[in-house]
Amino acid sequence: MTRRTSKVPASDSASDPTPPHDPCWRKSDWRSRVRKRLLEWFAGNARVLPWRTLPLPYNVWVSEIMLQQTQVATVLPYFHRWMEAFPTVEALASADEADLMRHWEGLGYYRRVRSMHAAAKKIMEDHGGVFPTRFEDVLALPGIGRYTAGAILSISQDQRLPILEGNTQRVFSRWIAMRGAPAEKHANALLWDFAETMLPRDGGNGTFNQAAMELGALVCTPKQPRCDECPIAGSCRAAKLGLQQEIPGKIKSIRYEDRTEFALVVPSPGGDTFLVRPLPDGARWSGLWDYPRPTEDAYQSVETVADWLSKELHLAPGCEIEVGARLKSIRHAVTKYRITLHVHAAILKTSGEPAELPAPWQWQSLDQLTEQPLSVTGRKITNWLAAQEQPLLW
């Protein structure tokens, strides 16, 4: 692999009283000292994780995709269930998407599972079902970028590939006292260069990468890092300068918007099934099932949502959606929104024969919904309905 280099900007010179980072890492003795201390610490403090115990490319890939924006403790039960259901690339490629979504339900960022499904199919077509071990081939798979490709191949194959993600961005920034936000173009290029330069030249690349991530997860945390427990404290420039709280530089924080949404719980005429649908492509939680709830536009009242549902169901004259009492409210966050979801009872009133539902709307029982991949709020509504000791009055 051709080694990338980054030029040290003019402001890094010794004459600059506040350089954007400390060039200590250009010295081989500093790098050797840091590597040695980090690896010694990792040998005694590494968590036992299933993808470390059996670091096959497929196992590492699944773990890395699940761990994006998600904590290890959350991922562990999902990983075990996933590997039981889809233990190989072939099993993943041949799986039904609804089954994949059900196993992923609750992890969020559902585009990840669709990309994995597409990648598995590509591996079957282009690589005979064997996970590729060339960097270029891994990078060409859907949903895999430079970091994920490097993580898979360094951990499973000990290839000399750097990785840069949330934990290592923070750790490396503090080691060299880099004040810029890691997402900024120059800062990001510098960190990639640093990550590559720090890799051992005689093997153990995957171990080093995992050790750096582990240090960020357990010791060099975003807030109140435990510097007194850190094996690198004596060589960390941020610790020496007292800049742990300021480094890494902060990217622009998300400005959250409050939003009110409405969902309807509509029973069938017999009361034993409920109106649901799989959410369409492009919608929030696409591919998951949910109760009637518009998400693409803001609606000002539950009555306007009832009108929306009437149009969705193509109700004939004389048929209507009658809204009843509020059953519960659910607060949750999605991307930049902090949402309060008001869940109302509703009845489908018809003047004669029950209305025939247009696709994709269906009547499903609570038992059926238990087996469906549901949105987070859809699962909460289903569990709430199942917990009611008395039939609800509509």
Side-chain angles (χ1 to χ4, degrees), residues 213-232:
M213 289 191 289
E214 195 82 329
L215 188 73
L218 302 181
V219 177
C220 195
T221 50
K223 296 180 180 179
Q224 298 180 335
R226 296 194 287 274
C227 297
D228 57 332
E229 302 175 21
C230 181
I232 315 300

Side-chain angles (χ1 to χ4, degrees), residues 3-9 12 21-31 176 190 193-194 197-198:
R3 184 170 178 268
R4 298 172 61 255
T5 58
S6 296
K7 293 181 179 179
V8 179
D12 288 342
H21 78 278
D22 192 310
C24 55
W25 59 285
R26 300 292 182 183
K27 300 177 181 179
S28 61
D29 60 336
W30 184 91
R31 297 196 301 269
I176 62 175
L190 178 69
D193 190 21
F194 175 80
T197 303
M198 287 299 300

